[in-house]
Amino acid sequence: MGHLDHAAFGWLTPVLSYAMACIGAALGLRCTVRALAATGRSRRNWLITAASAIGTGIWTMHFVAMLGFAVSGTEIRYDVPLTVLSLVVAMAVVGAGVFAVGYGRHRLRALALGGLTTGLGVASMHYIGMAALRLHGSVRYDPGLVVLSVAIAVVAATAALWAALTIEAPIAVAVASLVMGVAVSSMHYTGMIAVSVRITPSGDALPGVSAMQFIFPLAVGLGSYLFLTSAFVALSPTAGERAASASAQRLSEEPA
């Protein structure tokens, strides 16, 4: 059995991955709040942004954490198509959950469906990402811990969507995002604890690319997307601010 190291660079990758999860959650929650206050095309666009933010944040969290993953006795490479598929699945399935909440007529039903769908999307992204691993050996999972990791993902997603439906104050959203970051990180590391690797010594070259060749540049690019989108959302006026501005303009145009 190969010895697994989940933090080969010390606390750097766990802390940075947690920050990415929090940023993605905060941005996604703010966009969902904006969507629920909007109508028509504006609501749709805010929900798309929310889905991309949450999906990107979760994916970046996972693969930044994987930068610190090492197995004694073998190098690790990643299958590029599967890695990209994990990102697409994260955005698509999380999007389905967010849209269920954004357009659901019955709040509790929409929350349950959205939380389940989003949670399964998070778990699917994680295990597709793990399937992209290429190493000299075989990867096995503890079924009980896998089920627990999926349950954590569903509960975390449901709690995040509940916060989006219930909380509007920026400070409360920030707190909810920190909690969501803990939940997503817990799901990831629970899934990683479920992993065991049986090494098969070999001198053959592994297929795929190294983390620094592909994962790191992509994570940096997606992280930049999160920061830029966060700035856009922060600078974009809310529905209340637009209404207040319109009211002030009307008052200024009225004859004295």
Side-chain angles (χ1 to χ4, degrees):
M1 300 292 286
H3 172 71
L4 277 61
D5 187 349
H6 298 288
F9 299 107
W11 285 101
L12 176 62
T13 50
V15 171
L16 186 57
S17 64
Y18 171 70
M20 291 296 100
C22 290
I23 293 171
L27 181 55
L29 292 180
R30 288 304 297 165
C31 289
T32 305
V33 170
R34 297 287 187 92
L36 295 175
T39 58
R41 182 180 299 177
S42 179
R43 170 173 289 196
R44 181 201 64 192
N45 291 341
W46 279 118
L47 289 174
I48 291 174
T49 306
S52 67
I54 296 174
T56 298
I58 293 169
W59 187 94
T60 307
M61 177 271 148
H62 171 81
F63 280 102
V64 167
M66 291 303 292
L67 290 174
F69 179 67
V71 181
S72 62
T74 178
E75 62 176 327
I76 295 176
R77 290 185 172 268
Y78 293 87
D79 179 274
V80 173
L82 275 179
T83 301
V84 174
L85 177 63
S86 69
L87 175 60
V88 173
V89 167
M91 290 186 178
V93 184
V94 169
V98 169
F99 270 79
V101 168
Y103 287 101
R105 295 183 178 180
H106 303 284
R107 180 170 176 173
L108 290 179
R109 185 184 303 171
L111 180 61
L113 177 61
L116 177 62
T117 303
T118 304
L120 292 178
V122 172
S124 298
M125 180 283 304
H126 176 88
Y127 288 105
I128 292 173
M130 290 301 295
L133 283 177
R134 297 292 179 264
L135 45 76
H136 292 303
S138 58
V139 178
R140 299 181 181 181
Y141 295 91
D142 181 307
L145 289 175
V146 170
V147 171
L148 178 60
S149 70
V150 175
I152 292 173
V154 172
V155 171
T158 304
L161 293 176
W162 173 85
L165 289 172
T166 309
I167 301 172
E168 294 187 7
I171 294 178
V173 170
V175 173
S177 302
L178 294 176
V179 174
M180 179 65 176
V182 170
V184 171
S185 297
S186 298
M187 179 270 158
H188 171 82
Y189 285 106
T190 300
M192 294 308 296
I193 292 172
V195 173
S196 62
V197 177
R198 185 177 295 278
I199 298 297
T200 304
S202 174
D204 295 339
L206 288 168
V209 296
S210 69
M212 289 301 174
Q213 287 176 321
F214 178 65
I215 303 299
F216 180 72
L218 187 56
V220 169
L222 292 175
S224 299
Y225 163 77
L226 287 177
F227 281 110
L228 292 174
T229 308
S230 297
F232 167 76
V233 172
L235 295 174
S236 178
T238 64
E241 290 170 343
R242 288 195 298 270
S245 177
S247 178
Q249 185 175 0
R250 285 195 299 270
L251 289 174
S252 66
E253 291 175 353
E254 290 180 357

